[in-house]
Amino acid sequence: MQNVTKRDGTVVAFDRQKIVTAIEKAANEVTGHMDDCDIEKIADYISNISKDLDVESIQEIVEDQLMVNGHTDVARAYINYRYLHGLARNEYKDLMDAVAEKLSGSNIMNQNANLDEASFGGRLGEMTRLVAKRYALDNCMSEMARKNHENNEIYIHDLDSYAVGMHNCLSIPFDDLLANGFNTRQTDVRPAQSVSTAFQLVAVIFQIQSLQQFGGVSATHLDWTMVPYVRKSFSKHFKDGIKYLQPEDDPNRVPTELSFDDPEANDPRNSKVYRYAIDMTERELRQAVEGMYHNLNTLQSRSGNQLPFTSINYGTCTLPEGRMVTKALLEASIKGIGKLHKTSIFPCGIFQMMKGVNRAPGDPNYDLYQLALRSTAQRLYPNYANVDWSGNAGYDKNDVKTYFSTMGCRTANGWDINGFGQLKDGRGNICPVTIILPTLAMEAKEYILKSSTGEDLEGKTVDRFLFVLDQKLHEAKDMLIERFDWICSQSPDSAKFMWENGTMAGYDGESIRSALKHGTLAVGLLGMAETLQILIGDDHTSAEGMKLAKRICQLYKDRCDEFKKEYKLNFGVYYTPAENLCYTAMQNFKKKYGVIPNVSDKEFFTNSVHVPVWKEVTPFEKIDIESQLDGYSSAGCILYVELDSTAKNNIPALETIVNYAMDHDVPYFAINVPNDTCMNCGYCDEIGNTCPECGSDNIQRLRRVTGYLTGNYKTAFNLGKQQEVELRIKHNRVMHR
């Protein structure tokens, strides 16, 4: 034989030694040795074949010759060796095919509505994620964890970030960073000396920190944070006012600096300068806020032209400087950004509701609450965080760093078992997993149908489901600890900005575990409504369904509380956003179980414990139902109601709904209203096929995807989320029928 045709079609010279080496390897596996003469005999036989052959034909001849010469065990080992290498080649080919698909952008899935998969960065990022996910499954976790993920039982979020050991979300300690300055890779940044600089640095810090992690970044009390910098700007403008408005020889010249609330400000000698300083400070603040909004909607700092997932909490500061900040933030939200005054995608605005501060007429910030409602009615933001939520018990009313806040989508930090209590700043969600409840329900149902006869099959199915769920909760715990340990094993050099500047609190300078232990390990759930349909033929809008839903959530809570005490890690119940998972989990479910009425007859699973979007309930009924379950969650949840565009003409009704949610101990609440913008003239409202102002059909239809907003849902959302939006019932229309 002269030449050999390889699998890729190339022709190479026959190499006799490769035959000898392959047989020796097979022999060593089973016997430890095979007579050299026998090996040489087979090699000679193949060498003397007169015609050229391909690789597969040569391997088949080797197998035949081993069998003919009585080396059956070696032949089996050779066949197994050949099989395993074939699998490896096939897996490699499948991977390369998938890589090619991602790089070409030929199959855009819109897994993340904030990511442009068609862009250069998006295609490259999706390819990288594909390889990193495969690496994580094969190399970074136990067989138990991998099987749970691949069996659609327990989903491991952000596998690509798992591979490199990134963590999820973080509430950034802006107070410290702005007051003390910080270091970046290239330089150091001095402490802020004005409100305009402070807001610029907020955007910079958001951007840099977002590159150290895979989730959202948050400011927990931006109104309080900005008070010192409003004062600095006011002081500068006051001094300028003295200089410009009062000559040095003026006998009534103001010799000293005044503060915002100084009673001497009303003195006729001072009022002109004071008013000038206030006006200039307000002007600077408005420009600073607009600059931050603009930066956070244009700094595409992640692959795929992603914006940083940013959130800002505010609304409780009653100081005049803080009130000024909240007012500026809300007015900028209402105004919109760009030449068409479009709704800002980021930051996610979160208004912190607090009794005695902004809840009722007569409260010092009640007027700001009214402004927040106007913004929500037009721009969907702000959402509403309940500072008085019972789940945040033990917070210090004198320490705003302990006020309940969220990281936007819904993630939140509960009580820290490792010493920080209800502190929010510098803590985050370290990593989540989500149990796909409908899969477990079907497994339980099939098990009972196969193994049981007689009465009460439904009761037996429920018991079996709860038994399996308990097992999976323990496995979820183990999976989170695996990932937590992997994250803790990373070098501080992997996230220098975070560890050098202490953006994650508690770092002792040696082990990053010292800080990570204060974060949250989140055990999520998906598809409560469909699970109940499988188990009892109804969902939690019924009394029986709610009773079972509470049993499920109580089991989650009990186990997370137990894990928290046993392992001294902050395990928490998480009502998963499931932006992409609602669709991918459903597709995997359908492959195994087909289309089941009221379970898998749509393209998505219902998010966490939400009432199915197609259910005709009023806003108050939806709050009544979901508020019964939200208290079980310590790692984050959201409750929203869907209203039509008339909401902006009825602010008192909006206030009634928000207050109703707060009074029902809902921790995090949002209102969805249609936000359509004509891209020709900028008209913003609920728009039909064409703009009522200019007749254009170039309409951007903005909707909430999970806890945050994104661009046109008809192009940015995956197929499951698109269908979910189309099926969403306007709850206020149900109320008015």
Side-chain angles (χ1 to χ4, degrees):
M1 187 187 304
Q2 299 296 320
N3 297 311
V4 176
T5 303
K6 298 175 68 175
R7 290 180 180 86
D8 62 3
T10 58
V11 178
V12 297
F14 172 70
D15 185 348
R16 183 179 183 280
Q17 184 57 40
K18 287 186 176 181
I19 305 295
V20 173
T21 301
I23 297 174
E24 286 177 343
K25 285 182 177 180
N28 288 337
E29 280 193 24
V30 291
T31 66
H33 179 70
M34 178 175 164
D35 190 272
D36 290 343
C37 292
D38 289 344
I39 296 175
E40 293 294 334
K41 181 179 178 182
I42 295 173
D44 288 340
Y45 178 85
I46 296 172
S47 299
N48 292 326
I49 295 175
S50 59
K51 61 180 180 179
D52 293 343
L53 297 174
D54 58 34
V55 170
E56 293 291 340
S57 298
I58 293 173
Q59 290 181 336
E60 288 172 2
I61 294 171
V62 171
E63 292 170 15
D64 291 341
Q65 287 299 306
L66 285 169
M67 298 291 288
V68 167
N69 287 279
H71 301 293
T72 306
D73 290 344
V74 179
R76 290 197 189 102
Y78 184 85
I79 292 169
N80 186 55
Y81 167 84
R82 183 182 175 191
Y83 170 74
L84 291 176
H85 276 256
L87 281 180
R89 283 192 301 273
N90 290 336
E91 286 185 3
Y92 179 77
K93 183 180 184 303
D94 290 343
L95 179 62
M96 288 300 102
D97 288 345
V99 164
E101 185 177 78
K102 294 298 183 182
L103 287 176
S104 66
S106 60
N107 185 21
I108 292 175
M109 302 296 293
N110 292 329
Q111 297 180 73
N112 184 325
N114 187 34
L115 191 155
D116 180 5
E117 290 185 23
S119 67
F120 287 132
R123 286 150 55 189
L124 184 60
E126 283 299 289
M127 181 275 292
T128 303
R129 273 183 281 277
L130 182 76
V131 176
K133 287 178 180 180
R134 189 69 255 166
Y135 179 86
L137 286 168
D138 291 344
N139 299 280
C140 298
M141 64 188 68
S142 64
E143 182 74 4
M144 176 273 295
R146 184 181 63 80
K147 284 185 175 179
N148 268 310
H149 182 84
E150 293 180 341
N151 291 343
N152 206 38
E153 294 175 328
I154 306 177
Y155 183 81
I156 304 170
H157 292 265
D158 298 278
L159 278 168
D160 53 322
S161 298
Y162 193 142
V164 296
M166 275 185 170
H167 83 281
N168 187 13
C169 298
L170 185 68
S171 291
I172 299 174
F174 279 105
D175 294 3
D176 297 336
L177 294 172
L178 295 180
N180 302 322
F182 53 90
N183 297 319
T184 68
R185 180 183 176 189
Q186 293 84 2
T187 186
D188 61 277
V189 177
R190 296 188 298 273
Q193 298 301 318
S194 67
V195 71
S196 58
T197 301
F199 269 105
Q200 289 174 11
L201 293 182
V202 165
V204 169
I205 293 167
F206 268 147
Q207 180 189 18
I208 300 176
Q209 178 60 40
S210 72
L211 297 174
Q212 317 282 297
Q213 58 183 75
F214 63 85
V217 282
S218 170
T220 65
H221 50 272
L222 193 58
D223 47 349
W224 291 93
T225 296
M226 287 296 164
V227 166
Y229 309 102
V230 175
R231 289 175 177 170
K232 287 177 183 289
S233 289
F234 175 82
S235 177
K236 179 188 69 174
H237 294 308
F238 191 87
K239 291 175 182 177
D240 288 345
I242 294 174
K243 178 180 178 181
Y244 299 140
L245 299 177
Q246 294 185 330
E248 290 187 9
D249 58 356
D250 187 338
N252 294 321
R253 188 171 190 266
V254 180
T256 58
E257 182 177 333
L258 296 181
S259 63
F260 264 70
D261 53 356
D262 199 316
E264 292 187 18
N266 292 323
D267 187 310
R269 294 192 313 154
N270 305 332
S271 60
K272 189 174 182 180
V273 174
Y274 179 83
R275 188 68 257 162
Y276 169 84
I278 288 290
D279 290 344
M280 293 301 292
T281 302
E282 288 180 338
R283 179 182 178 185
E284 181 185 351
L285 178 58
R286 284 194 300 271
Q287 292 175 340
V289 169
E290 288 178 4
M292 181 193 71
Y293 272 82
H294 181 270
N295 284 333
L296 294 180
N297 283 278
T298 56
L299 291 171
Q300 299 175 349
S301 57
R302 286 175 169 174
S303 68
N305 301 342
Q306 285 188 80
L307 299 169
F309 285 71
T310 55
S311 305
I312 53 175
N313 295 259
Y314 53 83
T316 64
C317 185
T318 57
L319 297 172
E321 301 92 334
R323 283 176 43 78
M324 184 185 290
V325 170
T326 297
K327 183 172 181 286
L329 289 168
L330 290 169
E331 287 178 341
S333 174
I334 293 170
K335 182 180 179 181
I337 57 175
K339 63 182 180 181
L340 295 178
H341 300 280
K342 294 166 64 177
T343 296
S344 174
I345 302 298
F346 291 110
C348 172
I350 303 161
F351 192 85
Q352 294 168 293
M353 302 291 290
M354 191 173 184
K355 291 177 181 177
V357 173
N358 51 34
R359 282 288 311 271
D363 287 350
N365 282 2
Y366 180 70
D367 59 330
L368 297 176
Y369 176 29
Q370 296 299 299
L371 190 61
L373 292 168
R374 280 184 51 207
S375 178
T376 299
Q378 185 173 344
R379 302 296 187 183
L380 287 87
Y381 290 152
N383 304 337
Y384 297 87
N386 188 355
V387 175
D388 302 306
W389 177 46
S390 61
N392 202 49
Y395 81 92
D396 184 354
K397 289 187 176 181
N398 297 314
D399 184 359
V400 297
K401 296 178 182 179
T402 68
Y403 288 9
F404 180 70
S405 61
T406 83
M407 286 166 277
C409 195
R410 69 192 64 194
T411 52
N413 289 305
W415 182 271
D416 175 32
I417 196 169
N418 290 310
F420 283 167
Q422 291 291 16
L423 177 72
K424 309 304 178 191
D425 286 23
R427 297 177 58 210
N429 184 3
I430 304 305
C431 52
V433 296
T434 293
I435 298 176
I436 314 299
L437 295 181
T439 299
L440 305 191
M442 283 301 296
E443 290 173 354
K445 188 172 184 176
E446 290 189 339
Y447 177 88
I448 294 300
L449 289 174
K450 289 178 182 177
S451 61
S452 298
T453 58
E455 299 178 353
D456 194 26
L457 292 181
E458 183 177 285
K460 292 177 181 177
T461 301
V462 169
D463 289 343
R464 175 66 186 179
F465 167 79
L466 292 172
F467 172 78
V468 174
L469 175 59
D470 200 5
Q471 286 184 319
K472 292 302 174 182
L473 284 166
H474 281 82
E475 291 178 13
K477 172 260 297 178
D478 292 339
M479 292 164 68
L480 286 172
I481 291 176
E482 280 183 17
R483 188 170 187 177
F484 178 77
D485 288 341
W486 175 243
I487 293 171
C488 289
S489 73
Q490 304 306 310
S491 166
D493 292 337
S494 302
K496 282 190 175 182
F497 178 81
M498 182 162 66
W499 300 119
E500 286 184 358
N501 295 292
T503 59
M504 186 173 285
Y507 180 43
D508 62 7
E510 297 180 3
S511 167
I512 63 175
R513 183 183 290 266
S514 60
L516 289 162
K517 69 180 182 182
H518 300 293
T520 302
L521 302 181
V523 185
L525 63 89
L526 175 69
M528 176 67 80
E530 290 82 4
T531 299
L532 298 175
Q533 287 285 355
I534 294 168
L535 295 175
I536 63 172
D538 208 342
D539 58 40
H540 48 308
T541 59
S542 70
E544 184 183 3
M546 177 57 72
K547 182 179 179 181
L548 180 53
K550 286 182 176 180
R551 288 181 67 187
I552 294 170
C553 292
Q554 186 67 55
L555 181 58
Y556 262 83
K557 185 178 185 302
D558 290 345
R559 291 296 175 262
C560 284
D561 288 347
E562 291 168 10
F563 300 154
K564 187 171 183 175
K565 292 176 183 177
E566 180 178 355
Y567 295 93
K568 294 296 185 290
L569 292 171
N570 295 306
F571 288 93
V573 183
Y574 183 46
Y575 291 169
T576 306
E579 176 191 339
N580 178 54
L581 183 58
C582 77
Y583 177 64
T584 56
M586 176 61 84
Q587 302 314 303
N588 291 331
F589 184 92
K590 284 183 177 181
K591 288 177 184 176
K592 189 170 184 179
Y593 300 111
V595 175
I596 303 171
N598 298 319
V599 175
S600 56
D601 52 358
K602 298 176 178 63
E603 296 301 320
F604 62 94
F605 279 127
T606 297
N607 190 304
S608 59
V609 300
H610 291 182
V611 171
V613 296
W614 59 88
K615 285 279 185 174
E616 295 193 349
V617 294
T618 70
F620 305 106
E621 288 170 338
K622 191 171 192 293
I623 293 169
D624 287 340
I625 295 166
E626 292 184 25
S627 64
Q628 297 182 60
L629 302 175
D630 282 353
Y632 294 96
S633 172
S634 58
C637 63
I638 191 170
L639 192 161
Y640 73 87
V641 298
E642 197 86 20
L643 307 180
D644 60 29
S645 60
T646 60
K648 65 183 178 183
N649 300 317
N650 196 351
I651 299 300
L654 210 59
E655 180 179 3
T656 299
I657 294 172
V658 175
N659 287 345
Y660 192 84
M662 297 298 105
D663 291 339
H664 280 69
D665 204 31
V666 171
Y668 191 40
F669 184 69
I671 293 174
N672 289 348
V673 292
N675 187 285
D676 299 337
T677 301
C678 174
M679 303 305 290
N680 283 16
C681 71
Y683 176 80
C684 182
D685 206 330
E686 187 168 12
I687 303 175
N689 294 327
T690 58
C691 173
E693 289 289 319
C694 70
S696 170
D697 61 359
N698 184 15
I699 310 299
Q700 181 189 62
R701 304 185 187 279
L702 187 70
R703 299 293 185 271
R704 190 185 307 275
V705 60
T706 52
Y708 67 94
L709 309 183
T710 188
N712 194 334
Y713 81 90
K714 292 194 173 184
T715 56
F717 288 13
N718 61 58
L719 295 178
K721 275 295 175 187
Q722 287 185 40
Q723 187 187 56
E724 187 220 84
V725 171
E726 298 291 348
L727 292 176
R728 290 177 184 175
I729 292 292
K730 298 290 191 293
H731 300 119
N732 60 324
R733 292 180 185 172
V734 176
M735 184 171 61
H736 294 144
R737 286 177 184 171

